[in-house]
Amino acid sequence: MTGEGSRQDQGLGSSEKQIQLPSYAWPITLAVGLLALIAFFWSNTRGHDHASQGRFVGPGVCRECHQEQFEAWEKTRMANSFDVLLPGEKVEEKQMVGLDPDTDYSREEACVPCHTTGYGLVGGFVSIEETPDMAGVSCEACHGHGGTYVNSVMDPEDPTFRTSEAREAGLVYPPTEAVCQVCHNASSPFIGMEYQFDFDERVQRGTHEHFQLMYEHPK
């Protein structure tokens, strides 16, 4: 009995030694696990910053109630800003800042967000093939995504909503300087580091004509 018990004790001791880890192993394991968790969340939630994030509906939906504004917007530089990224466009301007005018920049991660609407967000621009209506800087780039206020607060069958209600639902009106400066800043290759965005001047130039709305919306 004594010999058998001794052998069992020796076997148990040997097993215990096999599963023992160095004292520094647990911190390393914890750190690796934490990094893996961070990488998982980053890869599944990353997107581009925007004044308000959510589902984009596209300018065609806005057009249903704002036909005149839509037609005025179509003629603006912002509506056609995606074309600037294409080869052969803005040749002199690109050469002046060291860009190759023959290069297609329409898939460049650094360029696309400011030449499209909702890039990297739900309902936003994916590619010119998949989401051509989201190319260019359209309504929601300035006024916030329409997924929370279009056809809910802004009900075409009952267009008597209050402006404050639409704002609470996500409407950005009027657009603020902070919205514009997401793209109008010194990170653009066409702008020097000393660039100062003149919000009032840009508002006067406008991105589309402002027409009298069909219905009054109390504040």
Side-chain angles (χ1 to χ4, degrees):
M1 286 292 295
T2 303
E4 184 178 350
S6 177
R7 286 194 297 271
Q8 289 178 347
D9 291 342
Q10 289 177 357
L12 180 60
S14 175
S15 176
E16 288 178 343
K17 289 179 181 179
Q18 288 178 0
I19 64 172
Q20 284 182 346
L21 294 174
S23 59
Y24 57 81
W26 289 113
I28 294 175
T29 303
L30 183 61
V32 171
L34 183 60
L35 289 173
L37 190 62
I38 292 172
F40 172 79
F41 279 105
W42 180 83
S43 64
N44 284 276
T45 61
R46 60 178 175 165
H48 298 282
D49 292 335
H50 193 274
S52 57
Q53 297 187 2
R55 176 172 292 281
F56 287 75
V57 299
V61 175
C62 305
R63 180 180 188 175
E64 294 175 8
C65 293
H66 301 288
Q67 179 67 29
E68 292 179 310
Q69 287 88 341
F70 180 89
E71 292 178 355
W73 163 78
E74 277 190 309
K75 303 172 185 177
T76 65
R77 292 172 60 185
M78 296 185 75
N80 300 285
S81 63
F82 184 81
D83 295 341
V84 174
L85 304 178
L86 301 176
E89 295 290 332
K90 300 290 182 181
V91 173
E92 293 184 5
E93 290 88 340
K94 289 177 180 176
Q95 288 177 333
M96 288 178 61
V97 296
L99 296 176
D100 181 5
D102 296 323
T103 295
D104 184 357
Y105 292 100
S106 66
R107 301 182 192 278
E108 289 287 336
E109 184 78 14
C111 305
V112 176
C114 286
H115 292 262
T116 63
T117 301
Y119 179 66
L121 299 175
V122 180
F125 180 83
V126 176
S127 68
I128 193 62
E129 294 82 12
E130 294 184 53
T131 52
D133 58 325
M134 303 304 286
V137 180
S138 62
C139 318
E140 294 169 283
C142 298
H143 294 290
H145 67 88
T148 54
Y149 57 83
V150 172
N151 294 325
S152 56
V153 176
M154 289 184 175
D155 184 356
E157 297 183 2
D158 183 19
T160 58
F161 62 88
R162 301 179 70 87
T163 302
S164 59
E165 295 172 340
R167 286 199 187 101
E168 289 175 4
L171 173 69
V172 179
Y173 179 79
T176 64
E177 184 171 355
V179 172
C180 303
Q181 288 186 315
V182 170
C183 288
H184 289 276
N185 57 59
S187 64
S188 169
F190 294 98
I191 298 173
M193 293 304 295
E194 297 180 358
Y195 170 74
Q196 295 292 324
F197 178 65
D198 190 333
F199 178 70
D200 293 330
E201 186 268 338
R202 296 294 298 213
V203 168
Q204 289 299 317
R205 289 171 59 184
T207 56
H208 63 73
E209 292 184 57
H210 295 83
F211 300 93
Q212 181 67 37
L213 297 176
M214 185 178 299
Y215 299 96
E216 293 295 329
H217 300 289
K219 296 182 179 181

